[in-house]
Amino acid sequence: MIDLDKIKNLPPDVKKDFMKMYIRYGDKKKESLIKNDFMAFVKHCWPDFIEGQHHKTIAEKFNKISTGELKRVIINMPPRHTKSEFASFLLPAWMIGRNPKLKIIQTTHTGELAIRFGGAITGRGADLLIIDDPHSEQDAMNADSLERAYEWYTSGPRQRLQPGGTIVLVMTRWRTKDLTGKLLRAQSETRADQWDVIEFPAIMPSGEPVWP
């Protein structure tokens, strides 16, 4: 803590220099916090952001991804709960800020979003692979579409992952045979990816919504 009374008693020129250094120190401290804490970055970039408990849980996982502590993360949550804002906009921006040389591939189920979030992936490798809602609501009702999504994942995005790379899958679950379900069942296979899973139901066991 700074003793304000002592600062008041400093000569004007010394006090001026001290305040400049103090402000610079505050800026550096804030910059360090934003660089090393995902939620701090979110609040800095999005001043009107309203924080929920599920946001805190996701932010903690993203912090662990940034340090290499987590390599495979699945986040299941309902529509309109800040999935795409976190996973497809803020996470890659934050990760690039930490490491400008990071190679990121982002992909999703619709062409419009795929173009906005990452475009074609042919010939590219990824240190961080982000999959945002691999199933549309309509496709989730079709067993063949679900199977095609899994084949697309295994033969496409998954093959683009660099050695030591990280995968983040964020999606709404519509059926048990969706991409999340298939990946979790595949965990029993030899050398299969092992996933850290976070699940947020629309309605909590208490009867309250996870995000009113």
Side-chain angles (χ1 to χ4, degrees), residues 132-143:
D132 179 12
D133 265 338
H135 308 292
S136 69
E137 190 173 347
Q138 292 74 27
D139 287 344
M141 300 300 108
N142 185 298

Side-chain angles (χ1 to χ4, degrees), residues 12-143:
D13 57 333
V14 176
K15 182 164 59 176
K16 182 179 179 181
D17 290 340
F18 173 83
M19 291 309 298
K20 285 182 179 178
M21 288 188 292
Y22 180 68
I23 292 171
R24 193 176 303 126
Y25 167 76
D27 290 341
K28 288 292 184 182
K29 189 175 180 181
K30 182 179 180 181
E31 182 181 316
S32 177
L33 178 62
I34 291 170
K35 183 177 181 180
N36 293 296
D37 183 74
F38 179 74
M39 187 58 76
F41 173 78
V42 171
K43 292 178 179 178
H44 176 72
C45 295
W46 189 355
D48 296 330
F49 171 72
I50 300 174
E51 182 181 354
Q53 184 57 49
H54 66 297
H55 296 129
K56 295 178 183 178
T57 302
I58 295 171
E60 290 170 2
K61 298 296 182 181
F62 286 175
N63 284 343
K64 291 182 178 180
I65 284 172
S66 72
T67 60
E69 188 175 343
L70 288 180
K71 292 291 186 179
R72 302 288 184 272
V73 177
I74 292 174
I75 301 172
N76 296 146
M77 54 198 301
R80 300 188 58 80
H81 280 61
T82 327
K83 286 197 309 298
S84 293
E85 287 86 348
F86 264 38
S88 291
F89 289 117
L90 294 166
L91 176 61
W94 182 61
M95 293 290 285
I96 286 291
R98 290 173 54 85
N99 179 8
K101 295 183 179 179
L102 199 70
K103 296 182 178 70
I104 299 177
I105 288 179
Q106 299 164 281
T107 186
T108 186
H109 67 79
T110 68
E112 186 265 339
L113 285 177
I115 291 169
R116 284 171 51 202
F117 291 164
I121 63 174
T122 303
R124 301 181 184 180
D127 300 308
L128 173 61
L129 171 61
I130 301 170
I131 303 172
D132 179 12
D133 265 338
H135 308 292
S136 69
E137 190 173 347
Q138 292 74 27
D139 287 344
M141 300 300 108
N142 185 298

